[in-house]
Amino acid sequence: MLFSSIPFLYYFLPVTAVLYFVLLGMPSASMDLKNGWLLAASLFFYAWGEPRHVLLMTASILLGYLSGIWMEAVISRAGKDTGGSKARDRQAKWTLVLCILMQLGLLVYFKYADFFIRNLNGLTGSSLPLLRLKLPIGVSFYTFQMLSYLADVYRGEVPAQRSLIRLALYISMFPQLIAGPIVRYSEMAGQLENRTHSLDDFAWGIRRFVLGLSKKVLFANVLGELCEAFKTSGDKAVLFYWIYAAALALHIYFDFSGYSDMAIGLGRIFGFRFPENFDYPYIAGSITGFWRRWHISLGVWFRDYVYIPLGGSRAGRLKGIINILTVWMLTGFWHGAAWNFILWGLFFAVLLILEKTGLLKYPGKGRLLSHVYVIAAVMISFVIFDAADLKEAAACLAGMFGVGELPAVSMECIYYLKSYRVVLLAAAVGATPLCSRLTERMRRSAVGERLLNLLEPAVLAALLLLSTAYLVDGSFNPFLYFRF
């Protein structure tokens, strides 16, 4: 079920919210009862598209629940052992490794088995049959959340969760189940046990959700149509390739950040505070800055659970470079079981290494030049990211740089540029903090504050109605990150 769908907006969400707040108003209703209702709603939400995959997620939850309790018991027994700290550490680490391997085994089997079989066949000339398993929606997201839980228990940051309902809700909570943000268990443990609700939080959540819905429906979906028009065009030109790259970069941003906004807003409605996932990444002046603003929760996860445990940059320059390459290869592979995703991750790794070592001097040396460098690099990267394979990625990059006998401009290119120029311009402005800063400036004056308080409900209602009209009338409503 998509957030940007009529069944979710006008059936699932109202029923879920009304019954939740009915329970909230009952003094006798415990927090576990409210959590239980959200858990039931989340399982129904996930089962809407593919009921069989609920069994896989349930298996992951049960495995993680038992693993956490078992690992805590092993660590506790090891702590009482007189064999010394090294023996205790070794026993605890091997327990953690075993628990992680059990979780990753499910992810690897369903997401990467065919990738490994296909490449093994190519290398050895064998003809092993592909499994052709359907990828469970959101499996990469909820697996990473379970891994964060196990790591937090191992580190002693939180005790193992004895309530199966609370742990299951943390993993399956519908606002962030299928596309994040990736929320660390240590951030959520207290909220699962006790959280506050207020009218202000409810209103803030509705506002954030509607803005995210508008970004998804009014920008991402429309820009996605332009990208599809390019792919099916028989009249390509160099300019058309660059229009596609720009539209694709904006499409991915509004698609994913819009979904993150909706998730954060939904979480606040039910009393949860999720971390921010985007912070206007296209205004960054370096690739390092870009990745501090783009998919923040994923970057923090890899930093805390992979990069730092590998040693980060503390073990010297060479070890630091190897660690960056490892993390970004895994980041690319996390996005998809294909070589173009790995290349996408390594592309960013090389740029980050060049910036970190000072070999790339442009970032920060001239504001305009650094922004041009970031935007161009990101556009190139997303062309690689969106390609079906390396061959298609190479063909797109060749077209962008005029390799071959492509014309600079074509009639179809001009037609689509004129047709989508307003959306492209509005999206480019919307990807900057300009509107947010103007709103903040207005709130500094009493007159501006009153005007915003008067206009905001009408604007949000208009955006909701317009988005609904688009959803009713249109059929193009994909979500890119479902395949991850």
Side-chain angles (χ1 to χ4, degrees), residues 284-293 328 347-349 351-352 355 360 363 370 373-378 381:
S286 66
I287 294 300
T288 302
F290 174 83
W291 276 103
R292 287 172 181 160
R293 295 170 174 269
W328 283 94
F347 173 79
F348 278 118
L351 293 178
L352 290 166
E355 289 183 8
L360 191 58
S370 65
Y373 147 73
V374 170
I375 296 300
V378 170
S381 77

Side-chain angles (χ1 to χ4, degrees), residues 66 78 126 188 193 201 221 223 226 234 258 271 326 341 382 439 459:
L66 296 173
S126 57
M188 294 296 295
E193 184 176 348
D201 280 342
N221 287 1
L223 291 166
L226 175 56
T326 301
F341 290 109
F382 282 135
T439 302
V459 171

Side-chain angles (χ1 to χ4, degrees), residues 221-236 240 243-244 247 412-413 415-417 419-420 476:
N221 287 1
V222 177
L223 291 166
E225 291 174 351
L226 175 56
C227 293
E228 290 301 313
F230 165 81
K231 291 179 180 179
T232 57
S233 171
D235 190 22
K236 291 184 173 67
F240 207 175
I243 292 171
Y244 160 69
E412 192 170 358
C413 160
Y415 167 78
Y416 281 110
L417 181 59
S419 300
Y420 285 88
F476 189 86

Side-chain angles (χ1 to χ4, degrees), residues 110-165:
F110 280 91
K111 187 170 183 176
Y112 300 106
D114 279 353
F115 173 81
F116 291 123
I117 293 172
R118 193 178 294 112
N119 283 278
L120 181 62
N121 287 342
L123 286 173
T124 63
S126 57
S127 55
L128 297 174
L130 298 178
L131 300 179
R132 303 192 184 281
L133 299 170
K134 186 175 181 181
L135 180 66
I137 294 173
V139 63
S140 297
F141 287 93
Y142 69 69
T143 299
F144 268 32
Q145 293 205 166
M146 184 58 82
L147 294 179
S148 86
Y149 164 69
L150 295 172
D152 289 347
V153 171
Y154 166 77
R155 293 172 175 178
E157 295 181 8
V158 293
Q161 181 56 261
R162 258 58 183 183
S163 169
L164 181 58
I165 289 177

Side-chain angles (χ1 to χ4, degrees), residues 5-15 213 464-465 467-468 471:
S5 67
I6 299 301
F8 179 86
L9 291 172
Y10 294 102
Y11 300 102
F12 175 84
L13 182 58
V15 170
L213 177 67
L464 179 59
L465 288 173
S467 298
T468 301
L471 292 174

Side-chain angles (χ1 to χ4, degrees), residues 336-364:
W339 284 107
N340 61 299
F341 290 109
I342 296 175
L343 178 61
W344 175 80
L346 292 176
F347 173 79
F348 278 118
V350 170
L351 293 178
L352 290 166
I353 290 169
L354 291 175
E355 289 183 8
K356 192 175 184 66
T357 57
L359 296 175
L360 191 58
K361 300 292 187 179
Y362 292 115

